[in-house]
Amino acid sequence: MKPFFHALRLLVQPVQGWRTIADADHSLASVLLWQTIPMALIPAACWYYGVSQVGWQVAGETMRLTAASALPLCVLFFLAMISGVLFMGFMVRWMSTVYGKEGTFTTGVALISFTATPFFVFGLLGLYPLLWLDITLGVAVACYCIYLLYRGVSPMMKVPEDRGILYASALFAVA
């Protein structure tokens, strides 16, 4: 359960959080089971509730999806988040030799999963879908995730700061 607590620290103390995460010995199973999957469940479950029970306003009318139509969409949303973390983890691993280190797939998945933590937590807004609020906060959360990526590449991948900036820029371009 340590990855979950590392993620919370990362949100409030990013520099120290990345050092702690980089020093920890994570297995792929622990990152997926204690960080990625539980965090990805937050937006999927919240948006399921929000679009099927609360709905959103369109031209003064409340629009809702039926539970039967919302469920497969939210399951696919959940699977897409997990797949995205795994794909980007592969890209971190694939690019590692270019930036001076031989990284592992596990380190790549951990880097991306922890970087995406604000997006996962932001998914709580799905409980009450409000377009202008979701877009406004979504932009702020995206900026914070980019900041976390740039702060996290160097300690996680054990590369110098100057190489870390280039590495993070390449990852950002892929994302």
Side-chain angles (χ1 to χ4, degrees):
M1 206 157 163
K2 285 181 184 177
F4 181 76
F5 294 114
H6 292 322
L8 293 178
R9 181 169 190 198
L10 186 64
L11 291 176
V12 294
Q13 297 175 323
V15 175
Q16 296 86 354
W18 278 123
R19 283 189 204 128
T20 303
I21 293 166
D23 292 340
D25 187 28
H26 298 292
S27 69
L28 183 60
S30 74
V31 172
L32 289 174
L33 291 174
W34 296 109
Q35 165 63 21
T36 311
I37 291 173
M39 288 295 205
L41 279 171
I42 294 170
C46 291
W47 279 98
Y48 173 78
Y49 177 81
V51 299
S52 66
Q53 303 301 314
V54 177
W56 58 92
Q57 297 290 321
V58 177
E61 189 176 329
T62 301
M63 307 293 287
R64 288 184 190 90
L65 295 178
T66 64
S69 63
L71 184 62
L73 291 174
C74 290
V75 168
L76 289 173
F77 179 40
F78 171 75
L79 293 174
M81 287 183 283
I82 301 296
S83 300
V85 167
L86 293 172
F87 172 75
M88 287 302 297
F90 171 77
M91 295 307 292
V92 170
R93 159 66 185 94
W94 182 70
M95 289 183 194
S96 65
T97 54
V98 173
Y99 292 97
K101 293 291 177 182
E102 184 64 36
T104 65
F105 179 62
T106 300
T107 304
V109 169
L111 172 66
I112 298 303
S113 185
F114 286 109
T115 298
T117 297
F119 271 127
F120 294 145
V121 174
F122 171 73
L124 287 169
L125 289 178
L127 290 171
Y128 188 76
L130 194 56
L131 183 62
W132 69 268
L133 181 64
D134 294 342
I135 291 173
T136 303
L137 292 178
V139 169
V141 167
C143 291
Y144 193 67
C145 286
I146 294 166
Y147 169 75
L148 288 178
L149 178 65
Y150 277 86
R151 296 299 294 179
V153 167
S154 290
M156 287 294 289
M157 302 309 294
K158 311 279 192 261
V159 296
E161 281 288 324
D162 58 333
R163 303 284 289 172
I165 290 171
L166 295 172
Y167 198 166
S169 297
L171 291 170
F172 177 65
V174 171

